[in-house]
Amino acid sequence: MNVIVTDKIFDPWQEVQRFQNDMQADGQFGACVTFIGTMRDFNENTDVQKMTLEHYPGMTEKHLAQIIDEAKQKWNILDAFIVHRVGDFKPGDPIVLVATWSAHRAEAYEANRYLIEELKSRAPFWKKETLKEGTRWVEHNTPA
Amino acid sequence: MNVIVTDKIFDPWQEVQRFQNDMQADGQFGACVTFIGTMRDFNENTDVQKMTLEHYPGMTEKHLAQIIDEAKQKWNILDAFIVHRVGDFKPGDPIVLVATWSAHRAEAYEANRYLIEELKSRAPFWKKETLKEGTRWVEHNTPA
Amino acid sequence: MTIDVKFFASLREKMGSDGQQLDLAGLETVQAVWDAATSNAEMPVNLLSAVNMEYVDLNSVVKDGDEVAFFPPVTGG
Amino acid sequence: MTIDVKFFASLREKMGSDGQQLDLAGLETVQAVWDAATSNAEMPVNLLSAVNMEYVDLNSVVKDGDEVAFFPPVTGG
C-alpha cells in the first residue's frame, strides 16, 4: 500500500521504517527523502488550538495514487509512500508523511517535492482551524 | 548537539525522533525534511561488498557545524541535525542523516539540500569500496 | 437519470447538507447539476467540481449514476 | 618551527604514512611543507590542503605549531 489515509494519530518514523522494511530493497537505494508536515500552533499570525481535517473518501486515495504514478514516470525512483491523517488534530500532531527512495539523491528530492506540491494542490482535503475566537476554514494553501 | 560523527551503526529514524523531542518545539515547526544516505550494493556498475569510510577527526565536525550555521543564516529554519557514520559498512547500512525543521516547507527542503551538497563537497570523509576484485577509493562524489 | 451530488467542507456547511440524490431529465452539464442542486444559487468563486472523483469543468456532461462533487480549494498536506 | 603534517585516505596509503612532524626554518608555505614532507614528490592533481582544519591554497603561509593536512577530493555523504 503506497497510500494510507487514516483518522488515527500516526508515528511518521515508524511508518517510513515499516514501509522501507517491506520494500526489501536494502542495497538498492542510496537515498531516502522524507517530508513530514506537522500541525503548528499558529497560522497567519493567529494562535490555533485545534484543527479538523475533512476529506473526500475515495477521491483522496485515487489522486494520491495518481500523483505517485506520475512521480514514478517522471523520476527514476524505487518507490514512494504517502500517509495522510484526517479528523481532529492538536498542535504538534503529524499531518502528512511523504517518503521517496532512489539510487541517487537528486531523484528522491525532486520526486518528494513534486508529491507534496501536487498533494497540496490536488488531493481533496480541507482544514478547519479552531481559534480562541471561533473556527475558520483555511481558504488556500500557501504556495511552494 | 547538532552534529554527530560516530563509528557505530545508527538508526536514522530513532536519531531524528530523539533530536526532535529534545528540540521541544512542538507546534512551532510545520515541516521536517530528512535525507538519509544509505550504502548501496553497487556503484559505477560494479558490485560492492563492503565499504570503509575514513574521516579527519575534528575537521569533519568543524565543517559540519559550519555548514549548519550557514544554512541557518540563509534560511529561516528552526534547527538542523546531521549524523554521519564512519568505519566499516555493509550494503544497506545508513551512512548519513540530514534533518531540517522550519515553519514552512520551502525552507526545510532548500536548507536540507544545501546541507547534503555542502557536506559532500566540503566535509573531509573518504570512501573505500571492497569489490570482488579488490578495493578502490571512490575518487569523487557524483554531482548534484 | 439519477445524479449523486456531494458538498464538502465550507460549502457543505453553507449548504447545510453534504449532498443529495437528484433526478434530472436529458443531457445535463455539471453547471446544470449545480443549479438544480442549489436552486440556482450563486456559485462561489474558486469552486472546484469533480465527476466520479476526477476534476472536471462546469461544461462537462454527466450521465446516469454519476457522482458529482462540489468543494472549495483544497488545503491538505 | 614545528609543523604537524597529516595525510589521509588514498594519499596516506600512497605515502605509506599518516603524517609526521617537520622542523622547518623561516617563512614557509603549504607548498614548501608538501615538498619537505614528501622529498619533493609530484603533487597529485586535485589534492586538497588544510591548515588547522580550514581549507587553504598552496601559497598560504604556515606558522609554528600549525597542523597541515593533505588529502584527495572528499567523498562523504
Side-chain angles (χ1 to χ4, degrees), chain B residues 130-142:
Chain B
T130 299
L131 316 173
K132 205 180 284 180
E133 316 80 31
T135 63
R136 68 174 174 201
W137 288 93
V138 178
E139 292 186 0
H140 49 77
N141 271 327
T142 51

Side-chain angles (χ1 to χ4, degrees), chain B residues 2-111:
Chain B
N2 289 83
V3 170
I4 296 175
V5 177
T6 175
D7 60 2
K8 295 187 179 57
I9 193 165
F10 72 102
D11 181 328
W13 316 115
Q14 275 186 15
E15 287 295 322
V16 71
Q17 186 162 33
R18 184 188 56 72
F19 187 89
Q20 184 175 289
N21 289 344
D22 291 351
M23 278 168 59
Q24 299 191 293
D26 273 15
Q28 292 177 54
F29 57 88
C32 171
V33 173
T34 69
F35 170 83
I36 294 162
T38 301
M39 187 190 157
R40 286 176 298 141
D41 54 17
F42 61 98
N43 190 23
E44 294 173 14
N45 301 315
T46 311
D47 287 351
V48 180
Q49 298 172 339
K50 290 189 296 182
M51 184 177 78
T52 301
L53 221 151
E54 181 174 332
H55 78 306
Y56 183 171
M59 182 164 172
T60 318
E61 292 83 349
K62 184 174 184 175
H63 283 259
L64 295 179
Q66 272 178 16
I67 64 177
I68 286 179
D69 285 346
E70 291 166 15
K72 285 183 173 178
Q73 279 166 29
K74 283 174 190 281
W75 289 280
N76 187 16
I77 55 173
L78 273 92
D79 219 335
F81 181 43
I82 296 177
V83 182
H84 203 297
R85 188 176 151 206
V86 295
D88 296 326
F89 292 71
K90 59 184 191 311
D93 283 0
I95 301 169
V96 60
L97 162 72
V98 177
T100 46
W101 289 264
S102 59
H104 301 286
R105 67 192 181 282
E107 290 88 343
Y109 273 109
E110 288 164 23

